[in-house]
Amino acid sequence: MNALTPPQYARTYRYDEVDREFLRERIAEFRGQVERRLAGELTEDEFKPLRLMNGLYLQLHAYMLRVAIPYGLLNSAQLRQLGTIARRWDRGFGHFTTRQNIQFNWTKLEDVPAMLEALAEVDMHAIQTSGNCIRNTTTDEYAGASPDEVVDPRVYAEILRQWSTLHPEFTWLPRKFKIAITGSPNDRVAAQVHDVGVLAKRDARGEVGFEVHAGGGLGRTPIIARKLRDWVPESEFLAYMEAVLRVYNALGQRENIYKARIKILVRDLGDEFTQMVEREYERLPRDKYRLDPEVVAAIAAHFAPPPFAALEDQALPEDPEFRRWAAASVRPHKQPGYASVTISLKPIGGIPGDASADQMEAVADLAERHSFGEIRVTHVQNLVLPHVRQEDLYTLWQGLRAAGLATPNIGLISDIIACPGMDYCALATARSIPIAQRISERFASLDRQHDIGECFINISGCINACGHHHVAHIGILGVDKRGEEVYQVTLGGSATNDAAIGELIGPAFSYDAVVDAVETLITTYVAHRTPGERFIDTYRRIGATPFKDALYAPA
Amino acid sequence: MPLLEDGRLRPDDWTSIEDDAPLPDGPAIVSLARLRAEADALAGRNAPLGVALDPGTQPEEVAPFLPRLALVALRLPKAKDGRAFSQARSLREHHGFGGEIRATGHVLPDQYAMLLRCGVTTVEVPEGTDPNTWARSRDAVRIAYQAAQGAARPLSLLRRKLELA
Ligand code: HEM
Ligand code: SF4
């Protein structure tokens, strides 16, 4: 097996010759576009949407290439190749994003065709990771593994991927379009803050159907999505999506970029939006858009369970350090004797979501040894090995520790989402990565973190909200106030079933004061919590006042 | 301006007529407002009639007139403004319009294949356009994953999975 051969049982979608040819044609096309740009046949204005369609952004210091990781699924050969790319054409790092993608922040324009060819060697690309098109669909990082799963969302995420690839009608939308799909009643994909959020479920007869929400989003106008329909039958899934997108493409705002997302249209039209989608759906030639069960079955075959061994659940070794890691990182699996493992990309004081080339290779090796060669990227910027034998957990932990990847902080206060902020981003009004690093250092004690329990801190470096601060338990937004970076704090956000937008707690804090403010919030929580109560639950029970008093009371 | 059809340039026989200008004898494109106001008089002419739609106009608004029209001209005010793609598909798919659908305005060669797949037949291009650039771009990616308008259907949605298996 050469390094680029995908492992036999990794359930990533396998390209066929048609897919590969499509990719070759597409890279050749982009090469041509680059040449036309260099020859002056395309203006930068004309070239920009074309390069964005191919994932190439211009940042503060360099180009950034954003590579699609379809619904966050990787096999070990792909992850190894990402490591190679990081080493050869970036500065030895890649940055995993909240969209389950990876970004290379130090890309040179002349290297891009070679990088794309390296990606194509492992069936990867950067198509539609930018621009006003349908972006990479995201899904549950525990798909195919989680005990609470009702429908395997990967099958429909792949169908959405194919359907949205170079869609002839929906490639020039008013604004970018992001879809998330979950197949579990427990939403782990933040469905309600996406342009379209889909909950796959089953009816009494076991048939698959979809609950569809639309018009959620964060950015400068955070909005929780509106439920359009409780049930779209499987065969009509794409017809219904066509209807939603067509209404948006026809009526979405195009004059004002800040009002161009579907959330604004849905908010302004309210129930009329739902009615318009219904009308469009009713009159579409359904036969043409029907999703054939045979097609679904053919795609589902790509995601068949790997050959699990017949095992039984077992007790974990006593080693307390291992136990602490396992408490944070190991999750039950639907297959007895197996577990899913989340790998933290949030070392204390590190850059959230960054992984070095060596780390990517180490994870690829460990995935091959312990998880059928399969890896997932999470929307919290971590990695997951979905199918690990419980009996292997201890060995795996040692392997992760050797690679600096065993920080036992999954779901804890230092498992922070942060956008690139002023360190990379041309739009930033404040730093966000250093705030994450300082908070993580302040709460470096893992005993303390485990005592605090689940608490999500998200940080954005400007109002565009790439760091999802609105849906954090503690959200931090950096803004510019007369040339000074200050940080607004919101409390009570959530991105799960009980989705909520956090509320602004009061006046902003300076760069130096914001970590103390977080500390004060946590001390207040600890003082008020009942046994076993999470930060968010305490906040919901006692309200904002005690937190405000603690933060703003005169000393 | 020249027209692009099937990847080749051809002269344009149509004339776009201002709302207050008299109608010529040959093929004429009028605004929707004029079409509405003078529907009967326009229908009585002995020459082909076309309408130019604004990107914000919903195809339903022109539906009653379609049987009398030989051409609908759509406009991309900016290359990024993709409303014409939905208008074209809706004209074909919901209203069964079989005449010429023309894309005008700021159209890029890179959009050509997608416009055709949405049911557009001709593109108005600037003088001096090299049709080969357009033809190459149209043929650059021959594979498609979705159902499209028109007879020349590429391997359609996900079907190929079965055909190739
Ligand atoms: C550094 C370059 C970046 C730039 C210039 C940028 C720019 C933007 C802008 C302008 C928006 C608002 C779009 C709108 O509401 O229409 C946005 C939204 C978003 N960005 Fe970024 N971004 C960058 C990096 C990132 C990164 C690294 C991530 C992931 C970690 C990310 C994740 C997101 C997400 C999830 C949203 C959606 C928020 C929503 O639902 O409205 N962005 N970005
Ligand atoms: S939130 Fe603002 S600063 Fe952060 S990455 Fe997005 S655009 Fe840049």
Side-chain angles (χ1 to χ4, degrees):
Chain A
M1 188 174 99
N2 97 27
L4 298 182
T5 313
Q8 187 180 0
Y9 295 115
R11 298 311 190 202
T12 47
Y13 176 78
R14 297 295 166 99
Y15 278 24
D16 59 23
E17 242 339 280
V18 178
D19 296 302
R20 293 220 172 82
E21 186 181 341
F22 171 81
L23 216 51
R24 279 193 294 271
E25 291 177 346
R26 179 63 187 213
I27 294 173
E29 185 189 30
F30 187 54
R31 241 184 217 288
Q33 287 164 346
V34 171
E35 282 160 16
R36 275 164 53 217
R37 170 74 190 114
L38 294 173
E41 287 173 38
L42 288 173
T43 65
E44 168 57 18
D45 251 17
E46 288 172 334
F47 180 60
K48 190 176 166 191
L50 302 174
R51 75 165 154 75
L52 289 178
M53 290 280 167
N54 287 282
L56 197 59
Y57 252 100
L58 195 54
Q59 292 196 97
L60 215 46
H61 314 289
Y63 280 98
M64 174 269 277
L65 184 68
R66 183 181 289 163
V67 176
I69 300 178
Y71 32 96
L73 249 61
L74 282 173
N75 64 48
S76 50
Q78 293 172 324
L79 184 55
R80 202 169 277 126
Q81 186 81 330
L82 292 174
T84 303
I85 289 171
R87 188 174 288 125
R88 241 167 101 187
W89 291 296
D90 199 287
R91 298 185 175 175
F93 283 88
H95 181 73
F96 289 97
T97 80
T98 52
R99 294 287 306 159
Q100 302 180 323
N101 288 329
I102 187 169
Q103 297 185 174
F104 294 105
N105 281 322
W106 300 98
T107 300
K108 293 195 199 68
L109 184 54
E110 62 268 28
D111 291 337
V112 174
M115 293 169 83
L116 294 178
E117 273 154 21
L119 289 168
E121 283 176 4
V122 289
D123 297 345
M124 295 183 77
H125 59 75
I127 299 169
Q128 287 183 210
T129 56
S130 283
N132 295 337
C133 54
I134 304 171
R135 303 285 187 86
N136 187 19
T137 296
T138 49
T139 194
D140 189 348
E141 54 259 26
Y142 304 111
S146 188
D148 62 2
E149 182 169 287
V150 182
V151 176
D152 188 338
R154 294 172 296 179
V155 177
Y156 303 94
E158 172 58 24
I159 287 168
L160 287 172
R161 182 189 74 80
Q162 295 196 18
W163 164 75
S164 62
T165 296
L166 296 192
H167 195 294
E169 185 178 348
F170 306 131
T171 295
W172 308 89
L173 296 167
R175 203 75 177 85
K176 58 188 171 180
F177 203 89
K178 300 176 179 181
I179 304 174
I181 180 166
T182 174
S184 151
N186 301 304
D187 177 5
R188 284 179 289 267
V189 302
Q192 296 183 67
V193 290
H194 278 78
D195 296 295
V196 162
V198 181
L199 276 72
K201 48 193 194 180
R202 288 182 194 275
D203 67 8
R205 291 171 305 153
E207 303 285 337
V208 172
F210 306 92
E211 182 180 311
V212 179
H213 299 247
L218 302 173
R220 63 186 67 211
T221 318
I223 298 180
I224 301 295
R226 180 184 186 88
K227 193 204 271 193
L228 295 184
R229 222 170 205 267
D230 201 51
W231 183 261
V232 177
E234 180 188 76
S235 60
E236 307 294 334
F237 185 40
L238 294 182
Y240 195 78
M241 297 303 280
E242 290 269 336
V244 174
L245 268 294
R246 188 172 287 175
V247 171
Y248 170 55
N249 193 41
L251 298 180
Q253 258 261 21
R254 288 180 190 263
E255 295 307 316
N256 181 346
I257 186 179
Y258 300 120
K259 298 193 167 163
R261 295 290 288 267
I262 193 177
K263 63 189 174 185
I264 304 294
L265 185 67
V266 174
R267 183 195 66 188
D268 291 351
L269 291 179
D271 190 52
E272 199 187 334
F273 180 83
T274 315
Q275 298 313 321
M276 293 175 98
V277 170
E278 287 294 321
R279 211 177 316 134
E280 185 63 31
Y281 174 57
E282 281 311 318
R283 65 179 185 170
L284 276 173
R286 296 290 184 81
D287 270 350
K288 193 157 145 189
Y289 296 100
R290 192 172 309 280
L291 186 53
D292 194 323
E294 277 179 87
V295 171
V296 179
I299 289 180
H302 288 257
F303 303 104
F308 289 119
L311 300 171
E312 283 181 19
D313 284 337
Q314 48 176 266
L316 299 180
E318 290 298 336
D319 181 336
E321 216 185 319
F322 166 75
R323 280 285 179 100
R324 189 166 63 184
W325 171 80
S329 307
V330 175
R331 226 177 154 271
H333 197 286
K334 59 175 152 193
Q335 182 72 21
Y338 283 82
S340 299
V341 169
T342 310
I343 301 172
S344 171
L345 296 182
K346 318 285 177 68
I348 299 304
I351 297 178
D354 264 17
S356 69
D358 290 345
Q359 288 178 325
M360 289 187 235
E361 280 158 12
V363 173
D365 290 345
L366 291 168
E368 262 159 30
R369 243 171 282 150
H370 300 297
S371 185
F372 299 100
E374 213 178 305
I375 305 105
R376 314 278 175 83
V377 182
T378 82
H379 80 281
V380 192
Q381 304 179 280
N382 290 316
L383 300 176
V384 163
L385 300 183
H387 315 298
V388 180
R389 287 177 185 221
Q390 292 170 7
E391 63 197 25
D392 289 355
L393 285 169
Y394 196 81
T395 322
L396 171 62
W397 171 64
Q398 290 173 317
L400 289 171
R401 219 163 40 150
L405 290 168
T407 315
N409 62 347
I410 298 300
L412 302 180
I413 196 164
S414 62
D415 188 2
I416 296 170
I417 297 179
C419 80
M422 199 78 100
D423 292 80
Y424 295 100
C425 178
L427 303 179
T429 43
R431 287 169 287 179
S432 53
I433 290 172
I435 301 285
Q437 291 172 312
R438 286 169 58 226
I439 293 175
S440 154
E441 277 158 4
R442 173 71 65 93
F443 292 92
S445 156
L446 288 161
D447 288 334
R448 182 158 181 226
Q449 289 195 41
H450 280 259
D451 174 66
I452 294 165
E454 183 182 292
C455 181
F456 298 121
I457 297 185
N458 299 350
I459 308 170
S460 301
C462 83
I463 194 144
N464 286 315
C466 301
H468 293 192
H469 65 275
H470 297 293
V471 290
H473 298 171
I474 301 175
I476 299 176
L477 165 65
V479 295
D480 176 275
K481 194 175 159 196
R482 291 186 291 279
E484 194 205 343
E485 293 162 291
V486 297
Y487 295 85
Q488 298 180 348
V489 174
T490 53
L491 294 183
S494 163
T496 54
N497 294 61
D498 54 2
I501 304 297
E503 283 177 49
L504 187 64
I505 184 86
F509 298 90
S510 71
Y511 180 82
D512 291 322
V514 68
V515 180
D516 289 331
V518 172
E519 173 99 50
T520 305
L521 291 170
I522 294 301
T523 336
T524 310
Y525 150 66
V526 170
H528 285 85
R529 71 179 168 188
T530 59
E533 196 175 49
R534 299 175 307 159
F535 177 88
I536 181 78
D537 300 321
T538 304
Y539 172 78
R540 285 181 182 153
R541 180 170 55 80
I542 66 177
T545 311
F547 294 95
K548 268 189 199 160
D549 290 349
L551 282 174
Y552 301 108
Chain B
M1 285 203 284
L3 277 183
L4 193 72
E5 185 172 24
D6 291 333
R8 284 186 298 275
L9 292 181
R10 70 160 169 84
D12 184 3
D13 320 321
W14 291 79
T15 320
S16 290
I17 309 301
E18 294 295 324
D19 280 353
D20 48 6
L23 287 166
D25 291 332
I29 303 173
V30 299
S31 71
L32 180 58
R34 183 157 187 182
L35 183 61
R36 280 199 184 112
E38 303 172 25
D40 292 333
L42 289 170
R45 279 171 81 242
N46 217 350
L49 185 64
V51 68
L53 295 189
D54 285 332
T57 302
Q58 302 312 311
E60 289 78 80
E61 299 177 45
V62 75
F65 307 104
L66 287 175
R68 301 181 221 165
L69 298 177
L71 175 146
V72 178
L74 306 175
R75 188 161 54 86
L76 282 77
K78 289 179 290 195
K80 285 170 67 168
D81 187 332
R83 287 176 289 180
F85 293 77
S86 283
Q87 288 174 315
R89 259 181 99 167
S90 186
L91 286 167
R92 298 279 188 232
E93 201 165 77
H94 296 325
H95 304 292
F97 181 63
E100 175 176 343
I101 299 183
R102 178 179 292 194
T104 72
H106 195 164
V107 186
L108 297 178
D110 313 84
Q111 296 172 314
Y112 191 27
M114 290 183 176
L115 284 168
L116 295 176
R117 299 193 67 228
C118 287
V120 167
T121 39
T122 55
V123 182
E124 195 178 87
V125 289
E127 295 293 347
T129 293
D130 177 3
N132 293 323
T133 307
W134 290 72
R136 261 201 314 277
S137 174
R138 176 193 61 185
D139 299 333
V141 177
R142 281 160 297 154
I143 291 158
Y145 291 88
Q146 311 83 2
Q149 309 304 309
R153 253 190 224 182
L155 279 176
S156 70
L157 176 79
L158 313 161
R159 257 272 147 220
R160 65 212 179 82
K161 291 285 152 232
L162 301 176
E163 286 169 12
L164 293 173

